[in-house]
Amino acid sequence: MRREVEILNPLCLHPRPAAECGRAVHKFASEITIRKGEEHFSAHSILEVLSANLDCGSRFTIEAIGADAKEALDRLEQLLFEFKEQEKDWQG
């Protein structure tokens, strides 16, 4: 199962949200991969997530394979929205 998403927060996917994504991913049994162009990154590794260079406006695909794939994709998409809202609150 795949879902195309976009980074909407101006500060991009920096270490704090990347770590939150990693913690969320580990709650699911599915194998979760970030696909950006021809490159693939394991969503289970904060270092790989950071090396994907997911800047504001970046569009990429999250792929989940496993019994809880839909739930995993839903949660990650929700997190990306939450990061945008959190940064709005911080910026006042």
Side-chain angles (χ1 to χ4, degrees):
M1 181 172 282
R2 293 181 181 178
R3 192 167 300 166
E4 188 172 331
V5 295
E6 181 177 359
I7 299 294
L8 300 173
N9 52 318
L11 296 179
C12 70
L13 201 62
H14 55 84
R16 184 195 52 79
E20 283 188 51
C21 283
R23 283 190 293 274
V25 163
H26 286 290
K27 294 179 182 178
F28 298 98
S30 293
E31 182 63 33
I32 303 167
T33 306
I34 295 169
R35 296 176 174 267
K36 184 179 174 193
E38 297 298 316
E39 297 179 288
H40 304 94
F41 306 90
S42 171
H44 296 268
S45 166
I46 186 172
L47 293 176
E48 287 199 33
V49 172
L50 289 171
S51 68
N53 293 319
L54 301 173
D55 298 324
C56 185
S58 293
R59 294 190 66 76
F60 59 98
T61 301
I62 304 171
E63 180 180 66
I65 300 171
D68 55 2
K70 181 184 181 321
E71 293 84 2
L73 293 176
D74 289 345
R75 179 62 186 134
L76 290 173
E77 190 170 34
Q78 178 187 7
L79 268 177
L80 292 176
F81 177 77
E82 289 173 9
F83 297 151
K84 176 186 167 217
E85 293 302 306
Q86 289 170 1
E87 288 186 13
K88 264 201 290 192
D89 292 343
W90 292 335
Q91 294 172 353

